[in-house]
Amino acid sequence: MGKSFSRGARAPLLAALTGATLLSGCASPIPFEAPNMRLSDRYSVVVPVVSTTGHSRWWEGFRDPVLNRLIEEAGAGNLSLAEAEARIREAEAELRRSGQSVSGDGRLDLQRSEGSESGRLNLSALFDPFGVGKARRKSASARLDAARLSEVDARRRLMGDIAETYIDMRFFQQSVAER
């Protein structure tokens, strides 16, 4: 018959296993590596689209005051845009919660709210042996970038849908008038 562990002999073994399990949860996150994708030659000259102020109001090129008014009204009351803007505010708050300061360089930062003498010393960027805080800040920053891009995309889709529908309507009006 095999030896069985007594209660006194199981305690150190259980403590060691528990400690090892807890320490394994503190492991540094695996660094992200961008996938290496091979694209065909026809994509090699594509330049990323960068929105400039000259192109942000592209529908004004039609010189149609009705279209301009429709787009302005849609932008003011659209729920998709409101949701995208709320996601940006949420991502900004998460970035602030993660300890990211305006400078974002991990310096010792004393933050003081206006009208209050109390301050907060941000030491999380200085003592982060496993990189969890850095990963959290990087994740929050990426989420903010994604939220901003989603808002731009929602705005472009809305403006494009309105312009397309309006142009189709004007085309059909013209077709009916010519008959």
Side-chain angles (χ1 to χ4, degrees):
M1 291 270 158
K3 262 183 157 180
S4 66
F5 287 109
S6 68
R7 209 170 238 216
R10 276 192 252 165
L13 180 63
L14 185 59
L17 286 174
T18 303
T21 304
L22 289 175
L23 284 176
S24 69
C26 296
S28 177
I30 299 171
F32 174 76
E33 292 183 25
N36 186 7
M37 297 174 39
R38 299 182 68 125
L39 299 175
S40 66
D41 291 338
R42 68 181 190 164
Y43 293 109
S44 63
V45 293
V46 173
V47 179
V49 176
V50 178
S51 177
T52 62
T53 56
H55 294 20
S56 64
R57 301 184 62 84
W58 55 267
W59 62 89
E60 290 178 349
F62 291 112
R63 294 183 181 87
D64 191 327
V66 175
L67 178 60
N68 293 343
R69 185 178 49 81
L70 287 171
I71 288 182
E72 293 300 322
E73 289 174 4
N78 187 273
L79 293 178
S80 294
L81 290 181
E83 179 184 7
E85 290 164 359
R87 287 178 194 255
I88 289 174
R89 288 190 302 275
E90 179 184 3
E92 287 171 344
E94 183 180 334
L95 187 63
R96 284 190 301 274
R97 251 189 330 267
S98 73
Q100 184 80 22
S101 64
V102 175
S103 62
D105 59 3
R107 288 181 296 139
L108 187 63
D109 186 20
L110 179 64
Q111 298 174 348
R112 194 173 123 209
S113 57
E114 243 177 82
S116 170
E117 294 300 318
S118 65
R120 174 172 73 98
L121 195 57
N122 186 359
L123 295 173
S124 62
L126 294 176
F127 184 69
D128 191 13
F130 300 110
V132 174
K134 182 179 178 183
R136 188 175 291 133
R137 287 187 296 277
K138 192 172 182 180
S139 171
S141 179
R143 184 171 180 207
L144 177 59
D145 290 344
R148 286 179 177 155
L149 289 173
S150 292
E151 189 269 339
V152 168
D153 185 49
R155 188 172 301 280
R156 283 184 183 158
R157 279 187 282 128
L158 175 66
M159 303 312 164
D161 289 347
I162 291 170
E164 181 181 12
T165 303
Y166 181 74
I167 290 168
D168 286 346
M169 183 199 70
R170 297 291 291 172
F171 172 77
F172 291 126
Q173 280 181 337
Q174 187 70 26
S175 296
V176 169
E178 290 177 357
R179 284 187 178 180

